Amino acid sequence: TVRVIYDGTSAHANGESSEDRQIGTSAFNSSSNDNAYVGYMYGATGASTYVAAHANTNDSTIKTYIDNWYKTNILGTANEQYLADNVFCNDRSLSSRNPGTGAGMSNTYYHWYDWPSPILTFPQKNDAFTVSDTTNGNGALTYPVGLLSTDEIVLAGGWGDSNSGNYLYSGQKWWASSPYDSRDGADVRSVYSGGYAHDYDSVSSDYGVRPVLNLKPEVLKYGDGTASNPYRLTESLDNSSSSESGGIDTGD
């Protein structure tokens, strides 16, 4: 599939800082006082086991925010036919160095605490969010929309230092989907305003939200990905201008 990220109600040049490049701001979760809250969906707070804390029972604050955007702008429109059901990763696998238990408010460190080389595989099926695909994912989503993982952001050039040339740069701080730790409360990775994912924050912080969709590969039949000739669904440029649902960026 072709993975695309929300990039505003009009086209933006690479390196342009604009709040229009996100749908708004939201906390990742309403509270940070439990390991469960690092989840895009989460289980029981105060749980005594990892499995109970990280069950996909409750919607996170940011999932609710994104689902509401989807319902307002995409659900029931002709554009739904172009979307594919592919995995969104919320990797809650534990760190190899200092894992903890992942339950309650125990000191817990997740995969991204290790600062590994980025991967595009999913260590745990429970963390591979899909709608109906239960072969490759968990089938827990209501709609085929989610967030980028830190691994994807790093592979796009967003790591370590400010980089306004990175195509994911927006000049804003926005949420990734990768848990980090729970030393002083549940923390998830975010993308710094400089365009890199070298940051992590309390899930109760309020940052930008950039929904991600997967398009069927045959959809982007026209265009070459430049600003003057963007990838689009129709041959005519007159019919390819961004609608209320917003522009997209493929990174190609």
Side-chain angles (χ1 to χ4, degrees):
T1 61
V2 181
R3 210 161 178 83
V4 294
I5 185 169
Y6 184 92
D7 202 38
T9 54
S10 60
H12 294 279
N14 284 353
E16 179 184 344
S17 175
S18 174
E19 292 184 358
D20 181 55
R21 305 183 84 159
Q22 57 197 32
I23 62 170
T25 62
S26 172
F28 196 91
N29 256 311
S30 58
S31 178
S32 62
N33 64 356
D34 197 283
N35 272 289
Y37 291 126
V38 300
Y40 192 66
M41 294 180 70
Y42 62 93
T45 57
S48 59
T49 67
Y50 174 96
V51 171
H54 298 302
N56 296 319
T57 308
N58 307 293
D59 287 348
S60 65
T61 303
I62 200 166
K63 179 180 182 296
T64 300
Y65 191 87
I66 289 173
D67 281 357
N68 285 336
W69 171 84
Y70 184 96
K71 286 189 288 185
T72 299
N73 294 286
I74 298 177
L75 184 65
T77 70
N79 289 328
E80 278 195 293
Q81 67 184 299
Y82 304 121
L83 301 183
D85 183 17
N86 206 345
V87 173
F88 297 98
C89 190
N90 174 221
D91 186 1
R92 292 170 283 185
S93 59
L94 298 179
S95 162
S96 60
R97 288 194 289 167
N98 187 11
T101 67
M105 258 320 296
S106 66
N107 243 13
T108 296
Y109 298 79
Y110 294 91
H111 164 79
W112 259 100
Y113 173 74
D114 293 335
W115 289 31
S117 298
I119 58 174
L120 293 178
T121 53
F122 314 103
Q124 302 178 150
K125 189 174 180 180
N126 185 62
D127 301 336
F129 283 85
T130 56
V131 177
S132 56
D133 179 359
T134 54
T135 300
N136 300 301
N138 57 27
L141 293 180
T142 306
Y143 306 113
V145 61
L147 295 169
L148 287 184
S149 69
T150 301
D151 303 81
E152 292 173 298
I153 294 161
V154 170
L155 287 169
W159 183 249
D161 297 302
S162 294
N163 179 8
S164 61
N166 165 11
Y167 82 93
L168 293 172
Y169 172 85
S170 68
Q172 313 300 311
K173 196 167 186 177
W174 49 280
W175 285 113
S177 63
S178 303
Y180 185 75
D181 68 15
S182 64
R183 285 174 294 177
D184 300 308
D187 294 323
V188 169
R189 286 279 187 187
S190 61
V191 177
Y192 191 64
S193 58
Y196 59 96
H198 191 62
D199 227 5
Y200 58 92
D201 293 277
S202 168
V203 295
S204 59
S205 301
D206 197 54
Y207 296 136
V209 182
R210 302 184 71 186
V212 175
L213 300 165
N214 295 295
L215 300 183
K216 296 174 182 177
E218 65 271 19
V219 169
L220 301 183
K221 180 178 179 180
Y222 301 101
D224 59 15
T226 61
S228 60
N229 188 25
Y231 292 118
R232 56 192 183 276
L233 307 177
T234 60
E235 186 171 7
S236 172
L237 276 170
D238 293 338
N239 295 325
S240 65
S241 58
S242 299
S243 65
E244 185 179 354
S245 59
I248 58 174
D249 200 333
T250 66
D252 293 327

